[in-house]
Amino acid sequence: MQDFLDNWGITVMVFAPLVGVVAMMLLPEREEETHKLIALVASVASAIVGLLLLVNFDYDRSGVMQFARTDTWISVVNADYSIGLDGMSLPLVALTLLVTPLVIIYSWNHIPSPGNAKAFLMLMLVLHTGMLGTFVARDLVLFFVFFEVVLLPMYFMIGVWGGEQRLYAAIKFFLYTLFGSALMLVSFLALYWSTGSQTFSITGLAELVADGDVARNTQLLIFGGMFLGFGIKVPMFPFHTWLPDAHTQAPTQGSVILAAVLLKLGTYGFIRIAIPILPEAAVSWAPWIGLLAVIGIIYGALGCLAQTDMKRLIAFSSVAHMGYVMLGIATLTDFGINAAIFGMVAHGLITGMLFFIAGSVKERYHTLEIARLGGLLVQAPRMGWILGITTMASLGLPGLAGFWGEFPAILAAYQPAPGLSEELFRVYMVIAAIGTVLAAAYLLWLLQRTAFGTPSEEFEDDPHIHDTVFTEWVAWTPMLILIVVLGFVPSLIFDVTNEPASMVGEVIAALG
Amino acid sequence: MSVLAQVVSQPEFVRPHIDWHAFAPELILLGWGALVTIVDIVGLERTRRFMPGLTGIGFLLAMVPVLTLWAQGDAFDGATLPRVLFDGAYVVDHYALVLKGLFLISGYVVVLLSTNYMAEGDYHDSEYYQLIAASVLGMLVMTSARDLVSIFIALELVSIPAYLMAAWRKRDLASNEAGLKYMLMGVFASGIMLYGMSMLYGAVGDTRLSAIGPALAEFSSSPFVVIGALFTIFGFAFKVSAVPFHTWAPDTYEGAPTPLTAFLAVSSKAAGFVGLISIILFGLPELSEVVQPLMWILAAATMTIGNLIALRQENIVRMLAYSGIAQAGYMLAPLAVYGDVPDSVQSSIVTYLLIYAAMNLGAFAVVITAARRTRSGDISSFGGMLNWAPGLTAAMVAFLFSLTGIPPLGGWWAKFQIFNALIEPGTAAGYALAIVAAVNSVIAAFYYLNVAKQMCFLPAPDGDNSPIKIPAPLNSAIALTLVFTLISGLALLVPDITNFTELAGSAP
């Protein structure tokens, strides 16, 4: 068993969903229930293997790549099929493994218009493989391939099953991300050739750069290319404009996946690739990253206050929350990176949950216009409470998961890595702290306008408005439980991420 | 003693050794083509319907020696690859063999694409297939030609049948225009090229590239030689439709019969590229300081202008024509650094040619299939295809995303190799062109995805969602190209056969 997991565990976990895709391809479209079942089985199979990996993971050595394997893939460019799991990727893999099956369960009776469960779920599974693959890749070419694979299913998910403006949102999402990743690829190749050793291995490159094989200016430019690629995906201000459109137009499932996992591909790229390989350049870039992060926090929050649409408001809150994650990363300390990884998981759970609720509200009220909503607690009390808990988590209430993403990130900015200006980061810290106040404002205001009060006349006697149904409970309960559990026991994640995060922090500290 | 007897008795003449095995693909295709022509003359109408099948078999038969040469190149009859014929004027190496395979297989796919189109259009289909075979024969010669004269002859053999075929829809004015425009431009380009070649010959006194290459070292600043080299390159720039020599392409593509358009856009363009690679890499290595900046500008202009104009096209064939121009720009790009990394340049362009052939022929196959129902080339007529032809739509989406360069479809590996070659020397020019290409691939995504959008997101314009029937030849063409697009996307097979370890053929 151990043998199997060591050699094949990750591979099976990543590619099991594709087996489901092939099976679904062979079945006709009308057998909807079978398709749903296959999709669920495939994603659960992947999750079970993932769970076995999690159980067998050696948590005392979380800084080391485990279940790793490396096989030659494209020998002409020395690109390998190289995968592994360590404390940095483990929480995100776990998050992905959890969210996809839940989304598929939610889809059981929520296939968005115009239907076609077969195509919808096939895309979902491809997406799943792409996301998992990105988190376990240890080779830049492999990383790039998985990173790009997610584009195609997401494009179709928004374009076919999205809202009114779906065509615009889909192409915008695609072009923005493609632009970033094209320059990212150029950066990867520049790194490949400029080290003189022609390898795409992430750890190998980090060592080569540390040995001084790459000129400083080249490092800065390469980091710039990666910054665009990852920064657009996060998304950081000013590259964020695709996000509100994509989120608002995407079907509920698409929004949930986008918020819960896809955005993390960008932040993960920073802590896995950009910073460890090019620490010197990271120190030079960090003040700018921090600046864009805090602009994002304030801008996102102000954007939220101006929104009239519930989904769009949540989308803007993502910009703000990812700002905290990026601020944590920009400090370049182990503390900040720990906070960032926690922030990613927390944001994934909480914002994913908010999008689930938004989708269910939309299904009942056929609108997300905040002005027309109200009285959710009267008409659907359980859902109203769930919305209440989730908004509390989102604004960073201690005792819920959101707190541990936000608070330590702000704290980390007090003492950035050596080599970075303390004054500057303390200014960032203050701005970020103001952002939390704004976050409380827009989230509470949202809750007040949608959940409190009495239902508007329009929906008073609407028979469609009912409380949470079974599939919603199944899909939401695990996420809600985790939001609470992580809020009380944050060490569940910090213990895993601490070792890899301090390894990055030490590299930076050694420079200063 | 008569003059004739004097000539015959000249003792210097030795019959050159001919390596029949190395020459077999061309000979088989030639023989088979002649056989098919005879069958046609004897059988007339009775044998007409066998013509596409027979031509296709000819291409597959010619594949056999290509494979044996590849597999047993150094053991079968004592000769090793590269097999050099005629004092270095004709070379069979891995590079040539890969391309011969490309031309034969894409010729076969074009026959598959043409079968129903020609049979249903009531054209002179027998002659059409014979001309295709003749053109492909020219391409086979082109892959091995390492001599100015044989390159020129190969190029004319490729082009002249294509001039005829472009005007094949005799009663259609657009097709007449296509043929005439293509011929006039093509002949003009050939003239310029020949003039340039004559200057190169005048300087060096030899037509073999292997002799021209080293000899040009002492001429590298001579305006005479530089102009000769530029004229030769400009001639090829017409063939590969590089900006600003591209103006014939969209009209010709739109007017010509669509299967022939596919042939022009893939095979004929690839033949132009092969000639260009051979001349530049084998013949002009010493002129890199002059030729590189030229190729930089040609490549950047070709990809940018091709993409920008493609954005505005409403006809799918014109869109593919302009996108093909842009793709030619990506393929030209590595030539901007050929002086530094000739090996990588060679293998990256050949990689691109192979994958481009599969994905573009595939896209044309879908267009031809869909046009059987829509009877229109408007992109908007593709609306709702997801409903009336889901399989076809999925295939087209794969081809479009591959052309965009999204993994895990072939196009990404092709682009990757181009970037790789551009960045390898680490020069500012290489980096800059890589960034231009990266930005261009984003622009291109917009119009490729526009087609995907029509097919998948929008309803059928006439509201008719009844499924269509796809004829078997078109089905197999789509399957063949799709499989190759997928295989190459996993970076299997293609990297192994395009990894030319040495610039084979540069040594006679």
Side-chain angles (χ1 to χ4, degrees), chain B residues 171-385:
Chain B
R171 288 169 207 85
D172 186 337
L173 275 182
S175 185
N176 293 344
E177 184 193 339
L180 193 63
K181 214 170 218 174
Y182 185 35
M183 191 198 75
L184 288 177
M185 290 292 200
V187 171
F188 180 57
S190 300
I192 291 183
M193 186 193 304
L194 205 54
Y195 187 38
M197 286 176 168
S198 72
M199 286 170 148
L200 291 179
Y201 173 71
V204 178
D206 202 320
T207 56
R208 286 170 303 157
L209 297 178
S210 55
I212 295 176
L216 284 185
E218 53 182 305
F219 288 107
S220 60
S221 56
S222 143
F224 184 71
V225 164
V226 169
I227 290 176
L230 295 192
F231 277 12
T232 313
I233 291 172
F234 286 158
F236 281 105
F238 272 101
K239 294 292 168 198
V240 303
S241 64
V243 173
F245 309 106
H246 67 287
T247 45
W248 59 272
D251 290 335
T252 302
Y253 283 11
E254 195 184 351
T258 321
L260 196 263
T261 306
F263 185 68
L264 291 182
V266 174
S267 305
S268 173
K269 181 179 285 187
F273 265 104
V274 174
L276 194 61
I277 302 172
S278 298
I279 289 212
I280 291 188
L281 289 182
F282 303 134
L284 308 172
E286 302 293 339
L287 289 188
S288 63
E289 280 178 23
V290 186
V291 176
Q292 284 189 159
L294 174 78
M295 298 318 289
W296 199 103
I297 294 168
L298 270 186
T302 304
M303 61 177 92
T304 312
I305 291 174
N307 272 331
L308 290 180
I309 303 180
L311 284 176
R312 309 212 20 109
Q313 300 307 316
E314 281 162 8
N315 179 296
I316 182 96
V317 178
R318 281 188 92 81
M319 189 281 270
L320 285 174
Y322 280 109
S323 100
I325 292 173
Q327 301 273 350
Y330 303 136
M331 288 186 256
L332 284 172
L335 289 172
V337 294
Y338 80 92
D340 304 306
V341 284
D343 288 335
S344 303
V345 169
Q346 190 189 25
S347 64
S348 69
I349 300 179
V350 175
T351 303
Y352 209 109
L353 284 173
L354 292 177
I355 296 173
Y356 170 76
M359 59 196 183
N360 222 30
L361 282 176
F364 271 107
V366 175
V367 169
I368 292 169
T369 313
R372 291 168 59 81
R373 169 202 158 105
T374 61
R375 299 276 153 219
S376 147
D378 285 345
I379 294 177
S380 58
S381 71
F382 281 64
M385 206 163 124

Side-chain angles (χ1 to χ4, degrees), chain A residues 105-126:
Chain A
I105 291 171
Y106 181 83
S107 303
W108 220 265
N109 50 8
H110 292 92
I111 293 286
S113 158
N116 195 346
K118 174 183 176 180
F120 187 76
L121 294 171
M122 274 166 69
L123 291 175
M124 188 83 74
L125 291 178
V126 174

Side-chain angles (χ1 to χ4, degrees), chain A residues 73 76 155 160 166-167 193, chain B residues 407 420 424 449 457 490-491 499:
Chain A
W73 175 29
V76 271
Y155 171 75
V160 178
R166 61 182 194 276
L167 301 181
W193 288 110
Chain B
N420 196 13
E424 184 177 347
L449 263 60
F457 304 168
L490 299 174
N499 186 21

Side-chain angles (χ1 to χ4, degrees), chain A residues 171-185:
Chain A
I171 190 79
K172 194 171 178 182
F173 159 78
F174 195 92
L175 292 183
Y176 264 74
T177 324
L178 188 66
F179 178 74
S181 50
L183 291 181
M184 182 177 90
L185 178 62

Side-chain angles (χ1 to χ4, degrees), chain A residues 310-354:
Chain A
M310 184 170 167
K311 225 173 161 186
R312 216 172 158 82
L313 189 151
I314 303 170
F316 268 98
S317 82
S318 271
V319 177
H321 282 113
M322 293 313 276
Y324 289 106
V325 174
M326 286 313 298
L327 181 64
I329 292 174
T331 64
L332 299 179
T333 55
D334 52 350
F335 197 62
I337 291 172
N338 273 321
I341 302 176
F342 200 103
M344 292 183 217
V345 177
H347 173 265
L349 292 169
I350 296 167
T351 310
M353 201 48 230
L354 282 173

